[in-house]
Structures are given as structure tokens and as C-alpha cells.
Amino acid sequence: MIIIRHFLLFAVCGLLALQSQAQINDVRIWTSATVKHKITRKLSASVNEELRLNHDVTEIDQLFSDAGIEYELFKNFKVALNYRFINKNKFTYYEKGHRLYSDVSYKYKKKRYSVSLRERIEDEYTAILSSETGKVPTWNSRTKLTFAYTPKSKYIPYASFEVYYLFSHPKDKNLGYNRYRCTAGVEYDFNKIHSIEVYTLFQKDVIYSDNAIVYGIGYTFNL
């Protein structure tokens, strides 16, 4: 498992290199607060509120509320279903969006190391009442691979790579792989109830050559 440790170090260094060499179009900050509750041994629920700032952290990009459930079918194999209500800043008004998405994920653990793979399918409706195409959904898939290391301390460093594939869009005809994200971060568990996560994310829009650096922080409360 020395390979995974080296990969985590490589991912952090690689992300820093991307920030220094890529032509960055925007710097953003994402903040979130999440409440989780374990209903049974295998079933859990969560509610999340998030605020995202863009345009070099000078304006609100979007606010959204997210709620969902997750169920462990087998050991380390989980499925989830979520709903997200989105307020997207359009400068003179906030555009409403509704997103349904489902996850299938598997985590492989070996001692203090883990590798997880998640596949997500998204179905999103935007401006249902104010646009002629509002009732036509956008379909995305998102594949994410994450490497993590759990030392004896409360810090859990991780690195991930995520790729987007656009299946259909009411207006955009540039279908296919259109975005990817590289992330390096660390989680810290204060105790079994409170935890915090900080991360740096590099996001590239392949079609429009839009590169952004995101600095994120999230708080989680476990009921």
C-alpha cells in the first residue's frame, strides 16, 4: 500500500502544479454544512446546505439545499438517492433548478488505506416555468475515483479524480466528456459528532476551456 501513499502525495503535488501552470479563469469558494443521521445499521439520511462564490470570490454563484438517503446493500457497497433544490445567480434574478441524482459506490479497504469508486447519474430541470425548454431534463453521469489514507490521528487525507459525461441537454449540443475535477483535501473528526473538511479543487470545462480553482470547507454534524 506504499503505492497509495505515494499516489496521495503525487496528487497533492500535481494539483498544485495544475494551479501554477493552467490558465485560471476564476477562483471560487464553496462552503457547506451537513447533518447526517444513521437510521439503522445500513440506512442513513442527510441534509446539506451549500453556498458557492465565484468571479474571484466577489459574487454568489449558487445556493442549494440537498437531501437524500443512503443504503448499504452489501459490505462497502452502497446506493443513494438525493434531491437538490438550486438557486443559480443570473445577476438580475435567481434561476430555480431541481436535480435528482442516484449513486452507486464501492469502497475497498486494506489496513489504513482505501480506494472507492462512485458512479452518479443526474437528472436536472432548470427554469421549468420560465423557459420553453424548462421541462426538458439534462442528463449527466459523473464517475469519481478516490484514494484515502486513515492514519492513527484524526486527520484523513484524500485525493480524487472525477469526470463528467453529458448525455443530453435541451440547449447544449456538445455531448460527451465535458468536465473533470481533481481534488486534494483532508477530513478531521473532532469526535463522533463533529467533523470538518477542507480541500482544494481544480475544475476544467473541456468544451469552453474554463479553468477554475476552488477552495472549500465543509462542516458535518452527526445526529
Side-chain angles (χ1 to χ4, degrees):
M1 288 299 169
I2 295 178
I3 296 176
I4 296 181
R5 183 184 300 177
H6 288 170
F7 175 84
L8 290 172
L9 180 60
F10 176 78
V12 173
C13 294
L15 187 56
L16 293 175
L18 281 173
Q19 294 184 47
S20 61
Q21 296 181 10
Q23 182 179 352
I24 304 302
N25 307 108
D26 197 8
V27 177
R28 305 170 184 175
I29 287 182
W30 295 354
T31 62
S32 65
T34 304
V35 176
K36 292 184 177 180
H37 176 59
K38 202 170 184 64
I39 301 171
T40 66
R41 186 172 62 88
K42 292 189 174 184
L43 181 65
S44 61
S46 64
V47 177
N48 172 268
E49 296 288 335
E50 186 158 332
L51 167 66
R52 295 181 175 180
L53 305 175
N54 65 354
H55 292 151
D56 293 331
V57 200
T58 60
E59 296 180 355
I60 294 176
D61 177 28
Q62 58 180 288
L63 305 98
F64 63 76
S65 303
D66 197 295
I69 56 174
E70 183 180 67
Y71 184 76
E72 186 175 26
L73 286 175
F74 312 104
K75 184 178 180 181
N76 295 326
F77 184 84
K78 297 179 180 180
V79 293
L81 181 64
N82 287 64
Y83 164 75
R84 179 175 296 181
F85 177 67
I86 305 168
N87 282 286
K88 176 71 173 178
N89 187 3
K90 293 296 184 178
F91 303 108
T92 58
Y93 68 98
Y94 279 88
E95 182 180 76
K96 311 299 181 185
H98 305 270
R99 179 184 298 176
L100 289 172
Y101 62 94
S102 58
D103 293 347
V104 177
S105 62
Y106 177 76
K107 178 184 288 187
Y108 173 77
K109 295 181 179 179
K110 184 69 173 182
K111 295 183 179 179
R112 297 188 178 277
Y113 303 89
S114 67
V115 181
S116 60
L117 179 65
R118 186 218 66 201
E119 184 65 31
R120 173 175 294 179
I121 300 295
E122 296 180 338
D123 175 21
E124 184 171 327
Y125 296 83
T126 304
I128 294 178
L129 300 178
S130 58
S131 173
E132 294 180 356
T133 59
K135 295 182 180 180
V136 180
T138 297
W139 287 92
N140 267 308
S141 75
R142 295 167 55 176
T143 305
K144 185 176 183 180
L145 184 66
T146 303
F147 296 86
Y149 172 64
T150 307
K152 293 183 179 180
S153 66
K154 295 183 178 181
Y155 294 94
I156 304 175
Y158 68 89
S160 68
F161 177 77
E162 184 176 15
V163 61
Y164 285 62
Y165 188 94
L166 181 63
F167 287 104
S168 67
H169 191 284
K171 297 179 181 179
D172 194 344
K173 303 305 179 183
N174 295 303
L175 306 182
Y177 293 104
N178 64 347
R179 180 186 300 175
Y180 68 80
R181 290 174 176 174
C182 300
T183 306
V186 61
E187 298 178 7
Y188 179 78
D189 295 327
F190 293 94
N191 46 49
K192 293 183 178 181
I193 299 176
H194 307 280
S195 64
I196 195 170
E197 173 188 13
V198 292
Y199 58 89
T200 301
L201 181 154
F202 173 78
Q203 176 175 281
K204 181 175 182 62
D205 191 313
V206 177
I207 304 299
Y208 301 104
S209 300
D210 184 24
N211 301 327
I213 289 295
V214 178
Y215 300 102
I217 182 168
Y219 165 75
T220 299
F221 178 82
N222 293 284
L223 289 174

